[in-house]
């Protein structure tokens, strides 16, 4: 038997697999192999967004038929939630500065998909999810503060109605950046101000942005993004930001877990939607009552929806823990949901992130996004590039310690954190790690396998930044000197919880990561991965909430 006879069937089989996955893929075969795509469709949320009161052509300027709108058709898709959310918040802030209604779009995993469900590896996920499933606030169509005349954000379906093709002015990012001489060294604040000015002075009602993205990942991952913070941190895009009702209620339902209390039972109910009275159907923003509740309540449709073949009915939701609209003025989630005392939340990326960590080491990349503030503790300075095998090996070891911590390092880090915060008793692990590894980590943390040693003079403790190079204090943050560590640290932890311990409903499966984030946002102390966009979002939110900087740590 010749080698060709052996190789040819293998080549033919490989060609068939490649052709199937990239050219002739059939959903029927996918369903046979991976099961029926049992994912939420969130039709009720799409319908709710369509009913937003600003979707009214008779509203006065700058809303309605003669309003000022901007749609960023070049928004990224196909990336994780936090990668997309970073860009969404920045573009929404540009729209606010330009006095234009931001056109928000669904969170999109696959813009080319014909169906709601697509395969992600070996599991199904939703291809498009309404933005209000994840967040609320001005970016997702929520109202601004009383007296703020900025036009409210609208969804992309209203944009298609009020801004037909012949009414749109197209601006190409590549052309505009060339005119402004934007380079890879241009500060983020310069780009932000240029676009805000360009869109503000333009009188055309409907402006569509195309071409390359405005804030690419290289900018967001570089220190150039930090120059935007003084403007963004005081913007209602951040100060009025909150997670969705779905996320908030899932976090509230699981709160007893961290307080050593039994979780309540709950009856079957329709899925929680953003509350319709939050945006009452009025003819003008000027008629909005000052006492309008900003905290969403559950919206219960009058009749049950009709469900297609194989589609599950709405999952039960918990109304007994729904946040009550008892505040006349807007308060962030952190105010409505106090800090969980005694809890430290830690972010541990696993899975294919190990490959990304080595890629970061090869490029000697800095921390990502807002993790780069110099007044945060556990700062990271990328080493000079090395060309020898030994030098590169040392660089990779350095990056893996900060990007891919192992169990012993995790235990030591948390021991040092508790030396600064001896009142900490419980740990919440945000992770996508395999269950056996997570269980091993939990046992090690509870047993306190590392022997506590009397610390030497606190040389290993993070020090408060000082000197003329120190940037201005971030608004809302408290810059303090960490307390001296106690001499008698505890060994194990009282309780350790993970993402897998949370009780989530079927409709919450697509927001499980965000529920983790909300718990980490509320935790007394957070230890994150400085190379992660998820940690960067949490740093942004905790700083906006006024979290003391010694309560924000990195591996």
């Amino acid at each position: 038997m010749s080698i060709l006879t052996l190789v040819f069937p293998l080549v033919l089989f490989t060609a068939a697999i490649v052709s199937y996955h990239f050219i002739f893929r059939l959903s029927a075969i996918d369903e046979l192999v991976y099961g029926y795509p049992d994912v939420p469709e969130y039709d009720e949320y799409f319908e709710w967004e369509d009913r937003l009161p600003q979707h009214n052509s008779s509203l006065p300027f700058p809303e309605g038929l003669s309003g000022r709108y901007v749609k960023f058709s070049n928004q990224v898709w196909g990336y994780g939630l936090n990668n997309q959310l970073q860009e969404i918040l920045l573009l929404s802030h540009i729209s606010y500065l330009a006095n234009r209604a931001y056109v928000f779009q669904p969170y999109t995993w696959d813009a080319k998909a014909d169906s709601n469900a697509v395969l992600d590896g070996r599991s199904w996920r939703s291809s498009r999810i309404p933005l209000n499933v994840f967040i609320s606030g001005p970016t997702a169509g929520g109202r601004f503060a009383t007296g703020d005349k900025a036009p409210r954000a609208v969804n992309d379906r209203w944009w298609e109605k009020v801004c037909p093709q012949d009414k749109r002015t197209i601006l190409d990012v590549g052309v505009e950046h060339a005119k402004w001489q934007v380079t890879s060294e241009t500060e983020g604040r310069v780009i932000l101000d240029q676009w805000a000015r360009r869109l503000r002075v333009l009188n055309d009602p409907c402006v569509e942005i195309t071409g390359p993205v405005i804030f690419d990942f290289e900018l967001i991952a570089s220190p150039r993004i930090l120059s935007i913070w003084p403007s963004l941190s005081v913007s209602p895009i951040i100060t009025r930001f909150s997670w969705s009702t779905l996320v908030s209620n899932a976090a509230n339902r699981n709160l007893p877990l961290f307080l050593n209390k039994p979780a309540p039972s709950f009856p079957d109910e329709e899925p929680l939607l953003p509350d319709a009275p939050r945006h009452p159907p009025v003819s003008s923003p000027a008629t909005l009552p000052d006492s309008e509740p900003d905290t969403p309540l559950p919206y219960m449709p009058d009749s049950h929806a009709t469900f297609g073949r194989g589609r599950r009915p709405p999952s039960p939701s918990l109304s007994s823990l729904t946040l009550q609209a008892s505040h006349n003025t807007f308060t962030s989630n952190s105010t409505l949901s106090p800090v969980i005392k005694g809890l430290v939340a830690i972010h541990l990326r696993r899975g294919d992130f190990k490959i990304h960590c080595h890629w970061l080491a090869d490029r000697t990349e800095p921390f990502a996004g807002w993790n780069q503030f110099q007044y945060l503790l556990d700062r990271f300075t990328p080493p000079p590039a090395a060309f020898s095998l030994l030098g590169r090996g040392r660089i990779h070891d350095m990056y893996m310690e900060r990007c891919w911590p192992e169990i012993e390092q995790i235990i030591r880090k948390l021991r040092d954190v508790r030396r600064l915060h001896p009142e900490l008793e419980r740990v919440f692990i945000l992770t996508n790690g395999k269950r056996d590894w997570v269980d091993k980590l939990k046992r090690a943390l509870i047993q306190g396998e590392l022997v506590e040693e009397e610390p030497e003079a606190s040389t290993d403790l993070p020090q408060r930044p000082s000197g003329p190079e120190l940037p201005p204090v971030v608004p809302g943050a408290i810059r303090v000197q960490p307390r001296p560590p106690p001499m008698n640290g505890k060994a194990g932890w009282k309780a350790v919880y993970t993402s897998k311990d949370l009780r989530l409903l079927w409709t919450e499966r697509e927001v499980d990561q965000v529920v983790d984030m909300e718990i980490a946002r509320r935790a007394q102390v957070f230890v994150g991965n400085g190379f992660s966009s998820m940690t960067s979002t949490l740093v942004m939110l905790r700083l906006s909430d006024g979290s003391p900087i010694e309560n924000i740590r990195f591996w």
Side-chain angles (χ1 to χ4, degrees), residues 86-116:
Q86 290 177 129
E87 182 193 37
I88 288 171
L89 295 176
L90 291 171
L91 297 180
S92 179
H93 181 46
I94 286 179
S95 306
Y96 175 73
L97 295 176
N99 195 36
R100 288 184 177 272
Y102 171 69
V103 179
F104 64 87
Q105 304 164 58
Y107 166 70
T108 303
W109 181 253
D110 189 346
K112 300 178 181 179
D114 296 326
S115 61
N116 175 64

Side-chain angles (χ1 to χ4, degrees), residues 134 499 502 504 508-517:
F134 294 102
S499 305
L502 300 183
L504 298 178
E508 297 160 356
R509 59 183 293 178
E510 296 284 3
V511 299
D512 56 351
Q513 182 188 95
V514 188
V515 176
D516 283 357
M517 293 176 65

